[in-house]
């Protein structure tokens, strides 16, 4: 009973935090968002772990998120392998993006996110050498790496699978990071045993 009460309480805390962060993002001045984004992207592109990675997973940003297009462009221009999300109602996979032209031609989902069609055959990141580095979206982040998603659990499940894949293949752990506006940074995030902790969060400093 105690565990059930704690789980319900944690769920409510997460819900309240999501509402607060969404409101902050709605009120974020576009000019400030651009300035913060430039700082964040500069940090990512100068990160040695990022630059040394060959296979990189990255989300395609929503309007209220730190924009990722310039990072995607850098990955492809450097000749690295880029993997982007493909969602359905059950799960998310990261599949290979071939070029900027490929990205431009992708259809949009009802969430206004570009993604490959499910009927289209693409290389899954959980094959071969897996992923060296993954950039994960979220609504709120803590400096220690805790992350609050949008409540669907797509990324927590995928990161757990990726961890298992790396262990089975004796691969290095995938380095997982988040990108956050200052408004998304909090001191503490309520977590459960299924929540995946990131290695690093990039935010304006």
């Amino acid at each position: 009973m105690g565990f059930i009460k704690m789980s319900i309480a944690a769920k409510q805390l997460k819900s309240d935090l999501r509402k607060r962060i969404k409101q902050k993002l709605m009120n974020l001045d576009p000019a400030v968002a651009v300035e913060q984004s430039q700082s964040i992207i500069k940090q990512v592109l100068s990160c040695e772990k990022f630059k040394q990675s060959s296979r990189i997973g990255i989300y395609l940003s929503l309007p209220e998120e730190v924009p990722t297009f310039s990072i995607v462009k850098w990955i492809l221009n450097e000749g690295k392998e880029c993997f982007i999300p493909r969602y359905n109602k059950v799960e998310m996979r990261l599949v290979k993006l071939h070029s900027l032209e490929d990205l431009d031609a992708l259809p949009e989902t009802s969430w206004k996110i570009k993604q490959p069609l499910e009927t289209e055959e693409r290389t899954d990141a959980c094959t071969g050498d897996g992923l060296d580095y993954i950039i994960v979206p979220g609504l709120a982040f803590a400096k220690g790496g805790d992350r609050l998603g949008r409540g669907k659990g797509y990324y927590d499940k995928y990161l757990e699978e990726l961890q298992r894949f790396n262990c089975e293949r004796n691969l290095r752990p995938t380095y997982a990071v988040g990108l956050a506006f200052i408004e998304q940074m909090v001191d503490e995030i309520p977590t459960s045993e299924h929540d995946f902790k990131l290695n690093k969060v990039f935010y304006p400093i």
Side-chain angles (χ1 to χ4, degrees):
M1 178 68 87
F3 174 77
I4 294 173
K5 286 183 178 178
M6 196 185 325
S7 298
I8 293 171
K11 189 173 182 180
Q12 186 59 52
L13 287 170
K14 286 184 177 183
S15 178
D16 292 344
L17 182 54
R18 285 189 183 98
K19 289 176 185 176
R20 291 203 305 273
I21 298 300
K22 284 179 180 179
Q23 190 60 50
K24 282 187 177 184
L25 291 174
M26 282 178 61
N27 295 332
L28 180 59
D29 186 305
V32 173
V34 169
E35 184 178 351
Q36 290 194 36
S37 296
Q38 289 172 345
S39 170
I40 295 163
I41 292 166
K42 184 177 179 180
Q43 290 179 61
V44 174
L45 297 182
S46 63
C47 172
E48 283 304 315
K49 280 189 177 293
F50 176 75
K51 291 191 290 185
Q52 291 168 8
S53 296
S54 299
R55 291 165 63 91
I56 301 171
I58 184 168
Y59 68 95
L60 301 181
S61 51
L62 293 167
E64 66 271 20
E65 294 175 325
V66 175
T68 58
F69 176 76
S70 59
I71 302 175
V72 172
K73 184 177 179 181
W74 186 92
I75 294 168
L76 293 169
N77 285 344
E78 289 294 310
K80 298 176 184 290
E81 293 185 85
C82 184
F83 295 84
I84 60 170
R86 176 160 64 186
Y87 300 87
N88 60 33
K89 291 180 180 180
V90 178
E91 64 174 1
M92 177 200 74
R93 310 301 304 168
L94 289 187
V95 296
K96 191 166 184 178
L97 178 69
H98 302 292
S99 65
L100 290 175
E101 291 74 22
D102 182 22
L103 174 61
D104 189 54
L106 293 179
E108 282 190 350
T109 68
S110 57
W111 301 318
K112 300 298 181 184
I113 301 175
K114 284 179 172 287
Q115 73 170 37
L117 295 171
E118 286 217 59
T119 53
E120 186 181 355
E121 189 172 329
R122 292 200 179 225
T123 302
D124 192 299
C126 276
T127 56
D129 295 325
L131 286 177
D132 304 313
Y133 199 100
I134 184 169
I135 298 176
V136 179
L139 269 178
F141 301 87
K143 290 181 182 179
D146 287 329
R147 163 188 168 273
L148 179 70
R150 294 178 181 271
K152 300 291 186 182
Y154 284 121
Y155 272 90
D156 289 315
K157 291 174 188 173
Y158 190 81
L159 289 167
E160 186 177 341
E161 179 185 345
L162 194 56
Q163 189 176 50
R164 285 198 307 271
F165 177 84
N166 291 335
C167 288
E168 289 167 3
R169 301 293 182 94
N170 292 317
L171 299 172
R172 270 187 223 170
T174 303
Y175 196 78
V177 307
L179 313 181
F181 295 116
I182 287 291
E183 289 74 11
Q184 292 175 276
M185 296 300 297
V186 297
D187 293 331
E188 189 177 0
I189 291 175
T191 59
S192 67
E193 60 179 327
H194 301 295
D195 293 327
F196 198 93
K197 187 184 286 285
L198 305 178
N199 295 99
K200 185 178 180 63
V201 181
F202 291 102
Y203 58 94
I205 51 175

